[in-house]
Amino acid sequence: MNIKEKYEAVIGLEVHAQLLTQTKAYSNDENIYGAAPNTKTSAITLGHPGTLPVSNKKVIEYAVKLGLSVGAKIRKHNEYARKNYFYADLPKGYQITQDTTPICNGGVIEILDEKNKTKKINITRIHMEEDAGKSIHDLDPFNTLIDLNRAGVPLLEIVSEPEIKTGDEAFNYVMEVRKLVRYLDICDGNMEEGSLRCDANISVRIRGESKFGTKVEVKNMNSSRNVKNAIDFEIKRQIEVIENGGQIVHETRGFDAVKGITISQRHKEEANDYRYFPEPDLQPIEITKEYIEQIKKTLPLLPKELNTIYQREYKLSQYDSNLLIEDKETALFFNEICALTNNYKLAANIINGVIKSYLNENGLTITQLDISAKNIANLIDLIEGNQISNTIATSKIFPLLISSKKSPKKIAEENNWIQESDNTILKDLILQALEKYPEKIQEYKNGKKGLIGLFMGEVMKISKGKADPKITNKLLRDILEK
Amino acid sequence: MSLYRSFEVFSKALQQKKVTCYSATKHYLTKIKDSASLNIFIEIFDKEALARAKEIDKKIANGDAGKLAGMVIALKDNICFKGHEVTASSKILKGYISSYNATVVDRLLDQDAIIIGRVNCDEFAMGSGNENTIYDTVKNPLDNNKVAGGSSGGSAAAVSAGLCMSALGSDTGGSIRQPAAFCGVYGLKPTYSRVSRYGLIAYASSFDQIGPITNNIFDAKLLLEVISGRDPYDSTSSSREIHSKDLSSSGNGKKSIAYIKEHIENPGLDPIIKSYILNKIKELKSLGHNVEAISFPYLEYLVPTYYVISTAEASSNLSRYDGIRFGYRSDHNNDLESTYIKSRSMGFGKEVQRRIMLGTFVLSAGYHEAYFTKAQKIRRIIQDKTNSIFKEHDFIISPTTPHTAFDIGKKYSDPTQMYLEDIFTVHANLAGNPAISIPIKDSSLKMPFGLQLMSNHFKEKDLLEFCSSNF
């Protein structure tokens, strides 16, 4: 047994999602990324004397949306709590959050494990809180600069059960959360800008052991790739420490993406005592069944549901399905096309193939694609009806469809790309082609079947690519075998 | 000058052009300057007040003046007034200018009140003698060797000394009623949530209420009517409003009044106050009211419960004073932590530091359950018991304080003795009920004292009506 198999890792993730609300969680300040520093900071955000928070109802709506979409239980009676600690980017000296009464408990996020099998990760809780400001340590050589625009921006913290085993699973989990919040339109999921952030609690233990090892919290993983790398590194580090006879220290470590290592930041004995207590400035929020039902009606189709439709009804492969669902806009475009054609497989191929590569080459997103679903459906019809070949469709017609008002059919006709599928004409073409190679025909007949390609090529050449390849192939064989 | 002791009388005089807002404001400004030795006013907004008085005189002439037209009001130094310094009598806020109006200030100004200045108080409203202040101790206008009470000592003394018509104070554990009692004026703590706390510098958020200190019940009622009501900036504020016209309706019904046996039997209660109350009870009975002694078994828990929860909230509310964004910052520091420690150690007074430490302790890991959580449970029990009393009774009558104003400096060095000052007043804050202190002058006592009446939640109307017809 190698060392890696001897141990197993136990990982729980805390994901913070910044919500796409117009205003902050407890004030009317604009919630916007990238504004000039300290310009979205009213007296309330700055924690000036006498100011009070007022909770933004959108935050509750978004929390309920997320809760419902993972199958969580939504709490009826919600209290806010204060988490007290001093830091220069925390204006009030406490963060308004939820302590013992999170808005959501339970629920599941499904991910793919190493073997590409579906694995359920249970959600412990989702709660509402506010972000702190930003401390900027690397802009001024002597001072730390503070930008309080982010202070008070609403967050949902999604806490998973410690059921994740590897860096890859963690990566998949974060991607699933990201997908979900983007489908719900409650968070833009941008990890580089920090609108989706992730902390991991990691411990290792000998496989089969029931007791957990000492856990280490890893922070500062500002991309999904870093989540994987940081966790993989940390698991390896912990195993090495134990194998070398050492002990894991209960601590917080930060990930240095450049060096690819985690670095100790703070020991738990030095940790803050947050002195949680109920926030007296905010009334508890009551969430009614009617409200939940109302929110339920606004939920869009979610990745999991789309996957079921794509694989069960549309008979797409898991691979194709996942590619389409990866981002919401692509799935929406696919759905639009599927309303106009029944050839789902061909629709999936076009999106996952020519469209994706076109977008990638031009650095565009699917919403920037200037082709209507109707034209794509029309293109599919032409291929399906053997009027054009796949190659003509993707390499010739597709580029002309962009920003064009013409239909694919019109383009094909104008360019004389409609395939020849008339048997008598095709036979004539085949005979013309075969005339050029009398000795090759003999070779073919003697068993060199690979020569069919040469004959096909000649037919295509004579027909200027318009000969329907399927029919031509069949006719060609018929003639040669005669 | 009795003209200024009743806003009703003053308003009539204004209408009849016997007086102007301008002349009244001038009168008060002179009196304030003459009384500077009492240390009541921290700042006078003289030019501004006079300019405003002129404007309001015009409005009165045009017949479009507000309900408080010409009422000259002092603000406790923990209520924010846009463009004006507000310090909560603390070094840590010295020089701090508020960038916005407290909701109560907006409402006063909307009704054409004249804010004449800000008055002294205990630092962050923590104290019972107005001795915890970076300014000098407020002297009781009725005896300059005595305290004015606290924490709204400046507000009560200002009204008592005739330096304004009325004042706003704030009451967390008795801070309106106790100084009102010591200074011989009316002090009303409204129902918790009745008045917006937006713009009140927080001490203990689940207790704090702004309320009026006045020369008479009518003024208290009028001010309450103006400042109360739902405020979108305070999500704990109630939408239930109070209308003065309701007040004049039926004030003479027979009421059921309870008094708590343990209050009257409290060994610390001044015997003269005790006998006054017992006589008053007799008198109320003879007027046909039903007065009954009841037992309140949680009396000894009131003060401890109050101090556990209020200091816990205070420790958190005062975290924002860190020397970073506003207020005082110590120069002698070289990093973030020393900035915090030095600014807060030098910026906060002793009593405030004591309460921050106490509050931090009762919330800290290992003690949270034993202190904070337990105190919250007891608070709930106290609230339930109080509600059950008000199912059967309209009011609870008690003294406001066990004795009259004490000598300046007498209790300053003994904080627990000072905390016991709140014994009769904290009940209303713990349970959220409204309570008023009515000034009593008994010929056998040199100084006035207060009689406290507490009612059910949102029953200020009944409470004030009953007071005006029976006291």
Side-chain angles (χ1 to χ4, degrees):
Chain A
M1 193 194 277
N2 71 24
I3 287 175
K4 235 185 150 185
E5 280 163 10
K6 185 174 159 192
Y7 290 90
E8 69 168 353
V10 177
I11 304 158
L13 294 182
E14 288 168 14
V15 175
H16 286 90
Q18 265 183 2
L19 300 181
L20 289 169
T21 51
Q22 296 275 302
T23 55
K24 292 186 180 180
Y26 307 110
S27 77
N28 283 330
D29 282 330
E30 199 183 355
N31 171 17
I32 187 171
Y33 180 83
N38 298 307
T39 54
K40 305 297 172 192
T41 50
S42 64
I44 299 175
T45 291
L46 295 175
H48 273 234
T51 56
L52 295 171
V54 174
S55 56
N56 182 341
K57 297 286 177 289
K58 273 280 170 201
V59 177
I60 294 149
E61 182 188 322
Y62 287 3
V64 172
K65 274 188 174 171
L66 183 59
L68 288 174
S69 66
V70 299
K73 196 167 171 285
I74 311 293
R75 186 179 302 274
K76 201 173 156 270
H77 180 83
N78 279 271
E79 276 175 18
Y80 295 94
R82 288 190 189 174
K83 177 181 179 178
N84 295 284
Y85 66 95
F86 283 95
Y87 202 66
D89 57 22
L90 188 71
K92 297 189 295 296
Y94 56 84
Q95 179 190 28
I96 303 175
T97 176
Q98 292 190 290
D99 180 25
T100 54
T101 62
I103 188 160
C104 308
N105 278 103
V108 164
I109 286 179
E110 287 184 0
I111 62 164
L112 290 178
D113 68 7
E114 316 270 84
K115 291 169 194 133
N116 252 3
K117 278 172 77 185
T118 303
K119 176 176 175 180
K120 289 181 172 171
I121 304 295
N122 285 293
I123 303 299
T124 314
R125 59 185 279 164
I126 300 171
H127 67 254
M128 306 179 280
E129 60 183 30
E130 60 176 332
D131 214 338
K134 213 181 275 178
S135 293
I136 303 153
H137 301 290
D138 53 7
L139 220 58
D140 179 311
F142 306 108
N143 298 297
T144 292
L145 304 179
I146 305 286
D147 178 7
L148 293 175
N149 285 350
R150 201 181 68 179
V153 164
L155 297 174
L156 289 181
E157 180 173 335
I158 306 141
V159 183
S160 86
E161 287 291 303
E163 296 172 345
I164 295 163
K165 298 286 175 205
T166 65
D168 278 315
E169 282 187 15
F171 175 85
N172 288 344
Y173 174 86
V174 172
M175 292 314 280
E176 282 306 317
V177 173
R178 182 172 181 272
K179 208 191 282 177
L180 195 55
V181 296
R182 286 170 57 92
Y183 266 80
L184 292 170
D185 224 359
I186 61 175
C187 167
D188 66 17
N190 190 329
M191 293 192 80
E192 282 72 25
E193 288 179 2
S195 39
L196 195 75
R197 303 197 290 271
C198 177
D199 300 336
N201 284 304
I202 306 164
S203 66
V204 298
R205 61 180 170 190
I206 303 228
R207 210 169 279 277
E209 186 88 35
S210 62
K211 236 181 94 204
F212 290 126
T214 304
K215 71 175 178 189
V216 168
E217 189 177 14
V218 178
K219 291 179 175 286
N220 305 348
M221 304 176 288
N222 58 357
S223 76
S224 47
R225 194 51 54 191
N226 283 350
V227 171
K228 176 184 151 45
N229 293 342
I231 289 174
D232 284 342
F233 173 86
E234 183 58 23
I235 294 171
K236 205 173 124 244
R237 185 191 72 84
Q238 290 189 18
I239 293 173
E240 275 170 16
V241 170
I242 296 169
E243 280 292 309
N244 291 331
Q247 275 195 326
I248 302 301
V249 184
H250 189 198
E251 63 182 346
T252 301
R253 299 175 72 87
F255 183 62
D256 181 332
V258 178
K259 293 185 185 138
I261 58 170
T262 64
I263 297 159
S264 181
Q265 287 182 331
R266 179 175 73 203
H267 286 233
K268 280 290 167 184
E269 302 87 77
E270 304 158 19
N272 281 306
D273 175 359
Y274 291 119
R275 293 172 282 122
Y276 284 97
F277 73 98
E279 165 59 281
D281 286 335
L282 289 170
Q283 295 277 54
I285 303 280
E286 302 294 334
I287 298 177
T288 61
K289 273 190 190 144
E290 295 71 38
Y291 179 77
I292 294 173
E293 285 310 311
Q294 198 188 314
I295 299 295
K296 232 179 224 167
K297 284 183 198 144
T298 68
L299 288 181
L301 277 177
L302 296 170
K304 203 179 144 190
E305 293 152 345
L306 287 175
N307 238 320
T308 309
I309 296 170
Y310 292 175
Q311 292 185 41
R312 297 235 179 103
E313 282 180 39
Y314 294 3
K315 309 287 180 209
L316 300 183
S317 66
Q318 190 194 42
Y319 178 81
D320 279 342
S321 177
N322 280 341
L323 271 181
L324 290 169
I325 289 163
E326 215 164 63
D327 92 325
K328 185 186 180 180
E329 283 69 31
T330 306
L332 286 178
F333 191 55
F334 177 68
N335 289 350
E336 226 183 301
I337 296 166
C338 290
L340 302 167
T341 174
N342 289 326
N343 199 331
Y344 309 125
K345 173 68 187 155
L346 208 45
N349 286 349
I350 287 179
I351 291 191
N352 289 338
V354 64
I355 291 182
K356 283 222 166 135
S357 44
Y358 165 78
L359 295 175
N360 284 343
E361 276 161 29
N362 295 284
L364 300 174
T365 63
I366 195 136
T367 47
Q368 294 167 302
L369 178 72
D370 193 11
I371 304 180
S372 66
K374 199 178 141 202
N375 273 353
I376 299 289
N378 192 248
L379 192 67
I380 290 166
D381 289 343
L382 292 179
I383 300 170
E384 213 183 2
N386 287 322
Q387 288 184 282
I388 52 167
S389 68
N390 236 318
T391 324
I392 293 282
T394 54
S395 63
K396 304 271 191 195
I397 300 178
F398 179 79
L400 296 177
L401 281 175
I402 291 158
S403 310
S404 163
K405 288 206 176 70
K406 287 179 191 165
S407 72
K409 184 153 190 205
K410 187 96 193 284
I411 294 172
E413 282 168 357
E414 279 176 10
N415 291 284
N416 206 13
W417 285 331
I418 300 289
Q419 280 185 155
E420 194 50 77
S421 52
D422 184 303
N423 279 11
T424 47
I425 294 169
L426 284 175
K427 266 183 193 165
D428 207 45
L429 289 170
I430 290 168
L431 292 175
Q432 276 182 48
L434 289 178
E435 260 174 29
K436 295 189 176 173
Y437 306 102
E439 65 280 18
K440 300 278 177 193
I441 299 172
Q442 201 50 51
E443 280 177 42
Y444 179 88
K445 285 185 173 169
N446 289 343
K448 215 173 168 190
K449 300 295 179 200
L451 285 168
I452 191 99
L454 174 79
F455 306 135
M456 275 297 289
E458 192 57 34
V459 178
M460 283 299 170
K461 204 164 134 193
I462 297 170
S463 72
K464 295 187 180 111
K466 283 167 60 193
D468 181 310
K470 257 189 215 156
I471 303 170
T472 307
N473 196 287
K474 189 173 174 295
L475 289 173
L476 189 59
R477 281 173 203 274
D478 287 349
I479 289 165
L480 288 167
E481 309 287 304
K482 244 194 292 190
Chain B
M1 223 195 213
S2 68
L3 171 65
Y4 295 124
R5 289 271 168 186
S6 155
F7 186 66
E8 219 175 355
V9 175
F10 176 72
S11 276
K12 270 189 199 131
L14 276 177
Q15 294 302 329
Q16 294 160 357
K17 301 193 168 66
K18 289 181 183 159
V19 65
T20 62
C21 295
Y22 188 82
S23 65
T25 307
K26 272 256 180 217
H27 158 82
Y28 285 116
L29 288 171
T30 311
K31 284 208 74 172
I32 291 167
K33 276 166 197 158
D34 292 346
S35 315
S37 66
L38 297 177
N39 307 319
I40 294 170
F41 274 81
I42 297 165
E43 190 183 358
I44 309 163
F45 310 137
D46 44 2
K47 280 187 194 137
E48 191 180 338
L50 287 170
R52 212 178 138 70
K54 265 189 189 164
E55 262 175 55
I56 296 164
D57 279 329
K58 270 186 214 150
K59 279 192 179 181
I60 292 168
N62 293 334
D64 57 1
K67 276 185 215 171
L68 298 181
M71 186 186 270
V72 175
I73 294 181
L75 284 184
K76 185 175 179 179
D77 189 34
N78 62 354
I79 297 172
C80 295
F81 186 8
K82 188 177 177 174
H84 298 78
E85 191 178 357
V86 58
T87 69
S89 292
S90 181
K91 180 174 172 184
I92 210 149
L93 275 173
K94 204 85 186 62
Y96 173 77
I97 308 285
S98 182
S99 61
Y100 69 100
N101 275 342
T103 300
V104 291
V105 168
D106 272 335
R107 291 183 178 175
L108 291 180
L109 296 177
D110 277 353
Q111 295 301 327
D112 294 327
I114 296 165
I115 297 175
I116 197 160
R118 59 189 172 102
V119 289
N120 209 338
C121 60
D122 278 299
E123 186 179 359
F124 285 100
M126 298 175 184
S128 304
N130 216 139
E131 294 168 291
N132 306 323
T133 167
I134 40 159
Y135 312 105
D136 292 316
T137 299
V138 177
K139 292 176 185 166
N140 194 313
L142 306 173
D143 177 346
N144 294 349
N145 295 316
K146 307 233 178 259
V147 297
S151 66
S152 310
S155 303
V159 175
S160 172
L163 309 187
C164 55
M165 290 182 201
S166 58
L168 289 188
S170 68
D171 192 316
T172 308
S175 283
I176 285 175
R177 291 159 286 158
Q178 187 255 24
F182 282 6
C183 295
V185 291
Y186 290 83
L188 173 67
K189 183 202 89 79
T191 308
Y192 181 77
S193 80
R194 176 70 100 182
V195 179
S196 167
R197 292 181 291 117
Y198 190 71
L200 170 68
I201 296 183
Y203 157 21
S205 313
S206 74
F207 301 86
D208 295 342
Q209 266 294 287
I210 295 172
I213 294 178
T214 59
N215 286 307
N216 56 67
I217 296 200
F218 177 86
D219 291 1
K221 174 215 70 187
L222 185 63
L223 269 171
L224 181 66
E225 182 192 320
V226 168
I227 63 176
S228 65
R230 173 79 189 150
D231 174 16
Y233 285 98
D234 176 358
S235 61
T236 65
S237 65
S238 167
S239 53
R240 298 175 70 156
E241 290 186 27
I242 190 162
H243 296 287
S244 60
K245 57 174 179 285
D246 298 343
L247 255 172
S248 51
S249 57
S250 66
N252 303 318
K254 300 295 172 249
K255 299 289 178 187
S256 174
I257 301 144
Y259 67 93
I260 296 169
K261 271 196 311 246
E262 295 90 338
H263 275 164
I264 306 297
E265 285 156 15
N266 185 312
L269 183 60
D270 185 305
I272 295 172
I273 299 179
K274 181 176 174 176
S275 70
Y276 181 89
I277 293 224
L278 290 172
N279 280 333
K280 188 73 199 176
I281 287 168
K282 270 187 211 150
E283 184 196 320
L284 289 169
K285 277 182 183 163
S286 72
L287 289 168
H289 299 294
N290 173 37
V291 191
E292 223 174 60
I294 56 160
S295 181
F296 188 77
Y298 309 109
L299 220 54
E300 60 183 310
Y301 297 105
L302 292 175
V303 171
T305 303
Y306 167 74
Y307 275 96
V308 169
I309 302 175
S310 66
T311 56
E313 292 180 3
S315 71
S316 174
N317 283 334
L318 271 59
S319 294
R320 66 191 61 198
Y321 308 105
D322 57 6
I324 306 286
R325 296 166 312 286
F326 48 76
Y328 172 79
R329 181 192 294 180
S330 160
D331 298 327
H332 314 284
N333 50 63
N334 35 37
D335 59 13
L336 186 62
E337 187 158 309
S338 66
T339 304
Y340 287 152
I341 294 173
K342 290 188 176 149
S343 303
R344 288 168 65 83
S345 299
M346 293 164 77
F348 286 133
K350 279 276 175 289
E351 180 59 27
V352 172
Q353 292 190 33
R354 191 178 291 128
R355 294 196 197 191
I356 289 173
M357 285 192 282
L358 189 56
T360 304
F361 171 75
V362 298
L363 284 175
S364 61
Y367 301 98
H368 198 288
E369 278 290 312
Y371 292 100
F372 184 74
T373 309
K374 194 184 260 179
Q376 270 189 312
K377 283 182 190 154
I378 300 170
R379 185 178 192 184
R380 168 56 61 189
I381 293 169
I382 291 166
Q383 286 170 338
D384 290 345
K385 177 69 186 167
T386 308
N387 288 339
S388 75
I389 294 172
F390 285 117
K391 278 205 181 97
E392 289 168 33
H393 302 282
D394 298 302
F395 310 113
I396 298 174
I397 191 169
S398 73
T400 307
T401 59
H403 46 73
T404 59
F406 49 87
D407 288 341
I408 289 173
K410 193 180 162 198
K411 299 193 180 187
Y412 188 61
S413 53
D414 188 350
T416 45
Q417 199 53 44
M418 199 70 112
Y419 294 171
L420 286 171
E421 277 298 296
D422 305 331
I423 186 151
F424 299 130
T425 48
V426 288
H427 187 170
N429 302 85
L430 281 163
N433 297 65
I436 189 168
S437 178
I438 302 155
I440 307 291
K441 186 79 191 82
D442 189 286
S443 52
S444 39
L445 280 173
K446 200 175 151 265
M447 295 294 284
F449 59 93
L451 215 152
Q452 177 178 251
L453 272 168
M454 189 163 125
S455 78
N456 209 347
H457 296 114
F458 300 105
K459 294 288 184 191
E460 284 92 338
K461 178 174 101 66
D462 294 353
L463 182 66
L464 296 170
E465 265 173 24
F466 181 78
C467 291
S468 62
S469 40
N470 292 285
F471 291 89

